[in-house]
């Protein structure tokens, strides 16, 4: 006789070439952290993320009622930390209502990553809705260079958004800068000191060989070790350390004020798959266990049907597909080049 449990697993909407990715022997505890791409729309077209401004968008994005069911299921499944991403999450017309709903569910940590183009008008409403933290992606402080990297972005609007986030009381505000050799690697010190003057937390990221970034690594990669050497005069000579449960960034304190820090995120020179506790949800409702593959479980149908219980089962299956981080090297694997960062939230 067929085992009903096995038959049920076979019927679930799994995506991707699962046999190509080594899976963990045990799924371990349920996911504690999730990154949710509430939209794949974005008003920027950064060179390491999108091929152009005319690259098209996904069909079948989840609407807010379906997202509410998804969030309820994530909470039931054991998720404690939620980060909203995009695309650009602040272009979602109901982003404040989404944050308010998430806040009502009692997640321990509720954060959002944004390009800050819309943050000047939304910082206070988001704070009032219950958003805990905000990260801002900003790759340069030069307005001309900013327009080039983002393909048309307005630096003044972003800076106004950061000011509004400070005024709204968000803390810490983390700044994410993707460092590209020959593009903005000459701005490391400027960005560092600018951020520290405002008591912000700058973080410098290696470009990763994923999606459009795969085309840039050979010529433009600046390793975290190089970045730290360039900033050595401003930093304590100490080991860089992570914040437990808050992602892969490793932090070093400022020499002149140990209350200030800078973070470095590798992903290319040194992967961090072994400690990854993240699940991702795409804008179309696919549960993704890893940024660097297209593997996943499609939970859009139960989300639209208001069926949180079935999504919880899907989450368990997606988590069982998590790669074995002791041998899997994340975004340096060949599968990463074909993944869309914008579609699954980076």
């Amino acid at each position: 006789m067929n085992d009903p449990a096995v038959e049920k697993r076979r019927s679930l909407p799994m995506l991707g070439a699962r046999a190509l990715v080594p899976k963990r022997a045990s799924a371990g505890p349920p996911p504690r952290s999730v990154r949710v791409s509430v939209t794949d729309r974005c008003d920027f077209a950064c060179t390491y993320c999108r091929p152009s401004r005319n690259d098209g968008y996904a069909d079948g994005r989840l609407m807010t009622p379906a997202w509410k069911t998804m969030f309820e299921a994530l909470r039931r499944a054991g998720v404690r930390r939620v980060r909203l991403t995009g695309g650009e999450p602040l272009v979602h017309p109901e982003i404040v209502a989404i944050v308010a709903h998430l806040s009502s569910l009692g997640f321990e940590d509720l954060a959002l990553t944004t390009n800050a183009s819309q943050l000047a008008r939304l910082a206070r409403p988001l704070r009032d809705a219950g958003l805990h933290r905000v990260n801002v992606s900003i790759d340069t402080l030069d307005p001309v260079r900013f327009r080039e990297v983002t393909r048309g972005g307005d630096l003044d609007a972003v800076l106004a958004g950061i000011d509004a986030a400070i005024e709204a009381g968000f803390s810490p505000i983390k700044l994410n800068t993707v460092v590209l050799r020959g593009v903005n690697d000459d701005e490391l010190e400027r960005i560092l000191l600018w951020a520290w003057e405002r008591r912000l937390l700058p973080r410098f990221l290696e470009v990763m060989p994923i999606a459009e970034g795969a085309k840039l690594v050979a010529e433009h990669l600046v390793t975290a070790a190089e970045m730290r050497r360039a900033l050595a005069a401003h930093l304590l000579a100490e080991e860089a350390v992570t914040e437990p449960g808050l992602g892969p960034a490793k932090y070093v304190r400022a020499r002149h004020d140990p209350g200030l820090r800078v973070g470095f995120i590798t992903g290319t020179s040194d992967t961090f798959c072994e400690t990854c506790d993240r699940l991702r949800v795409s804008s179309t409702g696919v549960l993704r266990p890893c940024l660097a593959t297209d593997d996943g479980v499609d939970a859009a149908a139960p989300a639209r049907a208001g069926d949180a219980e079935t999504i919880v089962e899907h989450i368990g299956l997606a988590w069982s597909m998590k790669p074995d981080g002791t041998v899997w090297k994340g975004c340096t694997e060949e599968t990463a080049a074909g993944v869309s960062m914008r579609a699954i939230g980076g």
Side-chain angles (χ1 to χ4, degrees), residues 146-173:
F146 189 87
R147 283 195 297 274
E148 293 173 350
V149 171
T150 61
R151 296 192 178 102
D154 180 1
L155 179 61
D156 286 341
V158 170
L159 298 181
I162 294 172
D163 287 343
I166 296 171
E167 180 66 24
F170 286 107
S171 181
I173 298 172

Side-chain angles (χ1 to χ4, degrees), residues 100-158:
H101 181 73
L102 279 164
S103 180
S104 73
L105 295 176
F107 288 98
E108 293 174 5
D109 185 53
L110 179 53
L112 181 146
T113 295
T114 176
N115 64 28
S117 65
Q118 311 297 316
L119 195 55
R121 65 182 178 85
L122 288 172
R124 174 54 63 184
L126 288 168
R127 183 71 170 166
D128 292 344
L131 187 67
H132 298 155
R133 298 186 297 117
V134 63
N135 290 7
V136 174
S137 299
I138 179 169
D139 296 324
T140 173
L141 293 174
D142 179 279
V144 174
R145 185 177 287 177
F146 189 87
R147 283 195 297 274
E148 293 173 350
V149 171
T150 61
R151 296 192 178 102
D154 180 1
L155 179 61
D156 286 341
V158 170

Side-chain angles (χ1 to χ4, degrees), residues 23 25 43 51 110-111 113 128 130 144 160 171 196 212 219 235 265 284 298-299 303 306 309 316 320 323-324:
K23 300 301 183 292
D43 50 347
L110 179 53
T113 295
D128 292 344
V144 174
S171 181
W196 280 353
E212 290 302 298
E219 183 178 352
L235 308 179
I265 300 178
T284 57
D298 190 347
E309 182 177 350
S320 74
D324 180 354

Side-chain angles (χ1 to χ4, degrees), residues 11 13 17 48-49 105 136 173 228 234 239 276 345:
S11 70
Y48 51 81
C49 183
L105 295 176
V136 174
I173 298 172
R228 182 163 178 178
H234 301 288
E239 182 181 358
C276 178

